[in-house]
Amino acid sequence: MRVGRAALLSVAVAAFLPVAAQAQAMLQPPPKAMPANPTVDQNDWYKTGIIYEVYPRSFADSNNDGIGDIQGIVKHLDYVQSLGIDAIWMTPMFPSPQADFGYDVADYDNVDPQFGTVADVDQLVAQGKGRGVKVLLDFVVNHTSDQHPWFQQSKSSRTNPYRDFYIWRDPKADGSPPNNWASIFGGSAWTLDPKTKQYYYHFFYPQQPDLNWRNPKVEKAMFDAAEWWLKRGVYGYRLDAVDTMFERTDLKDNTVYPGVDAFGVPNQDHVNNSKQPEVHTELQRLRQMVIDKYPGRILVGETWTSDASELVQYYGPRNNELQLPMFLNLISLPALTAPDLRQRITGVETNSVGGWPSFALSNHDSRRAASRYPLPAGASTDDWAKITGALLLTLRGTPVLYYGEELGMVNNDPQRIEDVQDVIGKKGWPKEKGRDGERTPMQWDASTNAGFNTGAKPWLPVAPDYKTRNVAAESADPHSVLNFYRTLIALRRTHPAMSGDWKAVDTDDKQVLAYQRSGGGKTVLVLLNLDSKPADVPIEKTDTMEIVRPLAINRALLISGSIHLDPLGVYVAEITR
Ligand code: NOJ
Ligand code: CA
């Protein structure tokens, strides 16, 4: 039993709602068509917006070849619109040998035929526009594919004009790599080119050589590529792997730590080949010279920072860098506990003065949130999906949802190495099983292949729960994860408090994360029990605070003078101030 703090969580007993009325409140169907956001300034659309990450390979396969494609996304734009999404972030669909499923780009100004054509992207942009859904692309800035013509030129001779597009260094006297930097995808970060007898540098796979951003010609070529899509109506970019755009030119060795990574390489700190100060100056130039020429266009960052103070550097000194550096630290937490979340969210809130926060809990590189944490007794995967959705959708910052998160989709990890598609899974098996599990096909309905297609075997197996966990089934079930998300999204888009401040309440509680959103003269209270035991939040008669209206509830009841929350219980209600 939790001891509540009267001043913070007290609600007047006069406002007691019978259990049936609360159940009714949570059964309210979300609106069919989402109302328009009360946008502050059109160029600030992202502040009231919700971004939805689409992994094109896995979303919907329109031509039945087993691989999702752009027309598949076009086909489902009505669904995306009905969810209340303001922008999709489409992960790379550029021509690519697919060594890293598109994060190895061979031509920034085109589309891989397996995903479609430039005309398909134009259609996606136009049809999205008609539905209020903007399109963001994924700009892979750190590296290209080794099949990119720039690299083909670069490796052809030491004197080729493109040689300095990449990072080439001589071997050490004994022929070994220039330093001890390791690739985070296994092995040395250097690969020897036998023809020109120099090593090239790659933070990721050898098929992903790092660009040399110190070369002004690289900047020009990449800025041109960014602009090419903006001119076509794309609304901006999620920037891939920004931390690693620069490395120290003196090639200082990284400090090595005890133990080895999943690939058997000694652990090291990557301090000399990531998060260099030049990253910020370069991103500010991209913002100023390209993005700001087009009103309303934004940059979202794949910013894996160690804490909020590091994160805020990505806003730039005058908010002139990234509009949305994603705070990804919640993903890395080994457990979602109230104290850890409170500390991190408060950190973002207090540090990001002038900048706008953005949070994500799942993506194509991380286990899906609904199956990431242990299940408390009596709770289900749906409950994890609901509490993580309630968190993400009631915070102040822009939420970045991952396709299927709104269904409570779970990881479907390969069981045998021979089934693995993601190369890091093949190289690191069994310690690192790769990222296939979180990339399985979107679950649309109960038909064969979950409605992903009606043809060839999908590139990854559909998760076994698809017969019940799918858009069609969940749409018809008032208690589903999907309808819970729809309720929360409608709340986010319509309730004035959701455009206002965020404030933690009851700052010592170890079980329940409690906070208020206040704006437009209204306040919403959010209680999330992240503990494996039930919690009770007492109600004080004497206080002025009252529950006006329960808004979204799961495994929680207002009863006998307390809000009772079962493990993973969610209670969101409008209260008087
Ligand atoms: C981050 C991307 O999200 C990931 O999927 C990719 O493998 C690396 N960057 C390298 O581009
Ligand atoms: Ca296809």
Side-chain angles (χ1 to χ4, degrees), residues 55 89 100 103-104 138 140 143 185 204-205 208 238 240-241 302 304 363-365 435 439:
Y55 198 72
W89 144 34
D100 190 16
Y103 283 96
D104 46 327
D138 204 319
V140 186
H143 48 268
F185 283 176
F204 299 96
Y205 294 128
Q208 295 167 299
R238 176 265 192 185
D240 184 62
E302 191 208 8
W304 289 96
N363 62 37
H364 64 284
D365 296 324
R435 299 161 291 182
R439 297 174 175 179

Side-chain angles (χ1 to χ4, degrees), residues 440-457:
T440 59
M442 175 69 173
Q443 295 163 204
W444 294 103
D445 58 38
S447 67
T448 314
N449 300 341
F452 169 72
N453 70 8
T454 51
K457 199 168 146 207

Side-chain angles (χ1 to χ4, degrees), residues 34-146:
M34 289 285 168
N37 257 327
T39 309
V40 233
D41 167 341
Q42 270 203 331
N43 292 342
D44 284 350
W45 62 270
Y46 61 89
K47 294 186 178 171
T48 50
I50 298 174
I51 298 176
Y52 186 77
E53 178 189 352
V54 173
Y55 198 72
R57 233 184 150 73
S58 302
F59 198 58
D61 174 17
S62 72
N63 65 349
N64 290 313
D65 62 356
I67 292 169
D69 42 58
I70 295 165
Q71 279 302 326
I73 307 173
V74 171
K75 221 173 74 189
H76 289 289
L77 274 174
D78 284 343
Y79 169 73
V80 173
Q81 180 190 19
S82 80
L83 256 188
I85 299 301
D86 298 84
I88 58 168
W89 144 34
M90 178 164 59
T91 63
M93 73 310 156
F94 312 100
S96 162
Q98 307 289 325
D100 190 16
F101 294 115
Y103 283 96
D104 46 327
V105 178
D107 178 359
Y108 288 92
D109 299 347
N110 222 318
V111 173
D112 195 301
Q114 67 182 297
F115 295 129
T117 61
V118 172
D120 291 330
V121 178
D122 290 345
Q123 196 188 350
L124 181 68
V125 168
Q127 298 216 5
K129 191 171 178 195
R131 292 170 173 83
V133 177
K134 298 175 168 58
V135 176
L136 308 174
L137 299 185
D138 204 319
F139 194 26
V140 186
V141 286
N142 177 68
H143 48 268
T144 68
S145 162
D146 63 347

Side-chain angles (χ1 to χ4, degrees), residues 40 144 174 201 220 223 231 258 278 347-348 416 433-434 480 493 522 533:
V40 233
T144 68
D174 64 358
Y201 171 71
K220 166 89 175 64
F223 284 10
K231 283 189 187 138
E278 293 91 332
V348 172
R416 311 176 312 167
K433 292 186 173 162
S480 68
R493 292 179 73 96
K522 308 261 187 217
K533 298 197 185 64

